[in-house]
Amino acid sequence: DVERSRGLGDVYKRQEQVWQGTRSHPYGEAAVISTLAVVLQLLGEAGDQAALLQRAGQLWQQRNIERFA
């Protein structure tokens, strides 16, 4: 189910909806969580890949969903 974009405004709106939790985008969310896991490792967070991904997932769940409202 691919939704056609009507320009950057649509893209930004969908990104905002994913951030706020009103829309799901599994690929996008996985990309954010994976990138965050790498950042955690670069910042010196201890743990193997699975632990870092779990911590990144927790941070994603705890994000401030009102941040970009």
Side-chain angles (χ1 to χ4, degrees), residues 23-39:
R23 172 181 280 240
S24 177
H25 193 288
Y27 178 83
E29 292 172 32
V32 169
I33 292 168
S34 297
T35 302
L36 182 53
V38 171
V39 171

Side-chain angles (χ1 to χ4, degrees), residues 39-46:
V39 171
L40 290 171
Q41 183 179 37
L42 291 172
L43 291 173
E45 181 106 4

Side-chain angles (χ1 to χ4, degrees), residues 16 19-21 60-69:
E16 179 182 33
W19 181 266
Q20 294 172 344
W60 171 254
Q61 292 301 319
Q62 296 169 355
R63 72 193 181 281
N64 178 359
I65 62 172
E66 300 297 322
R67 175 82 177 165
F68 300 108

